[in-house]
């Protein structure tokens, strides 16, 4: 039975009068999450107190939910664990990956990668010293830059600005041929499109849950380690919950079994409860259906905007197979245009210097949302109503 | 006006029939936290969506709440920020501290430190390579081991097993004389007793909020950096929210101003909402009153147990000035005794190999709790009711 996206849409709280095309920044509230979090607070924390670690299953939640995310990203059972933030998981994956080829010194990435990934890599290289270094090339030059000098290839599969999608299978194969370890950031992939980590032979992957996976603001990140590496990889961030026996309180670290060793500190129980409610929706979603619907929504939006707004330039690949689940347009006054859109209830994102970014999330984006967004954008562009001081003044966070 | 601890007790949800002496592991639910978290979920995440970062103040919450914790630990305004887990903050502080004396290679700690701190230090040393190493000595030998070979002194002020308290002022002064940078872990100090980081001249401190600060399971950690270091320290975990201009999306990291640079990734908004509700209680607590009350509770418990339970040996310092806010006793069958206590509604903690640990938390521990706990423990010891298979069988998490 095909996924019923009208039914999934009804499972989200979508504020009246808002067309929300920013679920690639922060997913909306699954209706069931409010009750699930409240139960976690009142019935679990409140009534069970410390017993909640066992009785409410808090301790195993990071791997239990990890297995549910695994299905969405083509990962093997037992190969994904939740925790920390995406930046920390990037660091953890990179530090672990670099140790696998100690004679190599280069982390290769691209200039389209999300800056935090690059910052964490820079920080790690400086901490490691020697001649460890981060090398970035343009996204289209990555394949040619994969040489046997490279230790780790770190890429975000879908570009956060343009939505352009790397070919994970091809680049991972190229990397493997050169003895390069891969770290894939799935921030804009997990829940956005089918991913096949196992099929591609990826080594490590990381991602966040507050975008397409709708876990709420500050929801935890996840890390994937290919089963073939799980029992040999050394976690640089060696915390007690990654220890073989955390409650033995040994003075020395012994890595835990399998993916457990990538755990670090105490898991964020309230945030995980929200994620759990979201995954109850995801469990019934077929990823091929999701992709087909995502492409339809994106194509309709591109066609509508291009027909009505000649001043906007498509910044995303025109070929749907080259895109994630977002569409971006460029305009020199992109910031003001986005503010004008938001003022009329169409919520997208601006990304410096000139990108208007719109996320399409089949679980709750409707055809009417697409048509409504096109109509508002067309009216704003035709009337130049964005050209006002209140829309041009920049807030701290956009 | 002295702090009214009957009034603060009424602000917590304490399950009927439970005497909770485990707030040093997981603090109980502040009654207001349930509504605060629900509002964060429904009114903020649900209705504001992405706008919550500004409109609901999510983005500044880590420093705003940091300033409220600062008062409790004697830190300067603007010197504390929330985020990540304690293990991550230990790593961050250590990595930053080690860079301040690059010619030194030793992290000094003690065998009473919480294992995760030691594990994170071990992991960092192995990542750094060269001859970086962690040296641990017995708690009473720390002072003598502070030499000019030591780069960083990393100590947990209050021992998680015995409650023995290091003299932070004296050890910090000794360290400073030898050019040693200090990293203090306040896991069992923050909210447990008055701390004077600024007065002691501490360099770095870290701590968690889910124990005495009652932020709930998986609540975020905090880090303190002395103002004199804030603009020179390099954050090894250089994430985008520690960047000078996160939303400029620069390709290179430029550390932010002051304590902001110790931020890494997206803050855990739901967990911070729970912490906020707890700090509403803490804001009105006088730390001298708290300490006096804590000492009274601990002394009464020690006297009661020693009078009634000759088979239990005090594991905590007898001198109150040498203790934190917990009392521990030893017994070879400590695990089974604790299970028997819990079965009768007296909740403490067992810590391997033989420690029965009881936390005393003036915000909600009453005199009746102390008397009740002594009575139940006395009855269990006199009747040997702990000596049953169901109490001796070890669960995974205790």
């Amino acid at each position: 039975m095909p996924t019923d996206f009208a039914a999934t849409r009804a499972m989200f709280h979508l504020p009246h009068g808002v067309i929300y095309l920013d679920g690639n920044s922060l997913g909306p509230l699954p209706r069931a999450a409010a009750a699930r979090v409240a139960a976690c607070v009142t019935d679990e924390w409140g009534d069970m107190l410390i017993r909640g670690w066992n009785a409410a299953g808090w301790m195993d939640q990071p791997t239990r939910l990890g297995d549910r995310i695994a299905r969405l990203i083509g990962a093997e059972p037992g190969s994904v664990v939740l925790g920390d933030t995406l930046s920390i998981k990037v660091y953890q994956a990179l530090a672990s990956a670099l140790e696998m080829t100690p004679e190599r010194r280069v982390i290769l990435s691209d200039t389209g990668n999300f800056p935090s990934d690059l910052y964490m890599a820079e920080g790690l290289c400086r901490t490691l010293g020697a001649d460890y270094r981060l090398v970035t090339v343009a996204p289209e030059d990555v394949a040619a830059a994969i040489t046997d000098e490279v230790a780790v290839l770190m890429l975000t599969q879908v570009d956060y600005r343009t939505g352009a999608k790397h070919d994970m299978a091809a680049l991972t194969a190229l990397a493997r041929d050169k003895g390069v370890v891969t770290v894939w950031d799935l921030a804009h992939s997990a829940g956005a499109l089918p991913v096949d980590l196992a099929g591609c032979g990826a080594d490590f992957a990381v991602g966040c849950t507050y975008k397409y996976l709708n876990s709420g603001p500050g929801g935890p990140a996840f890390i994937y380690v290919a089963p073939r590496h799980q029992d040999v990889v050394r976690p640089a961030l060696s915390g007690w919950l990654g220890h073989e026996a955390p409650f033995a309180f040994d003075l020395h670290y012994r890595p835990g079994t399998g993916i457990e060793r990538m755990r670090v500190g105490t898991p964020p129980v309230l945030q995980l409860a929200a994620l759990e409610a979201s995954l109850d929706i995801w469990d019934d979603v077929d990823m091929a259906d999701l992709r087909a619907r995502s492409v339809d929504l994106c194509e309709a939006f591109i066609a509508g905007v291009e027909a009505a707004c000649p001043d906007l330039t498509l910044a995303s690949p025109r070929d749907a197979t080259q895109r994630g689940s977002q569409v971006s347009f460029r305009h020199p006054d992109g910031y003001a245009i986005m503010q004008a859109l938001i003022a009329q209830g169409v919520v997208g994102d601006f990304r410096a210097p000139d990108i208007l970014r719109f996320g399409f999330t089949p679980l709750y984006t409707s055809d009417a949302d697409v048509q409504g967004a096109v109509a508002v954008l067309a009216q704003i562009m035709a009337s130049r109503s964005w050209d006002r001081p209140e829309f041009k003044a920049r807030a701290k966070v956009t």
Side-chain angles (χ1 to χ4, degrees), chain A residues 87 106 115 119 124 199 266 273 308 310 324 364 367 369 398:
Chain A
S87 296
V106 172
Y119 303 161
L124 176 60
T266 305
Y364 52 86
D367 295 321
D369 285 343
T398 59

Side-chain angles (χ1 to χ4, degrees), chain A residues 129-155:
Chain A
D131 46 349
Y132 280 98
R133 60 196 187 278
L134 169 68
V135 172
T136 52
V137 298
E140 60 274 20
D141 297 334
V142 167
I146 300 173
T147 66
D148 56 15
E149 291 206 336
V150 175
V152 178
L153 174 65
M154 167 183 76
L155 292 173

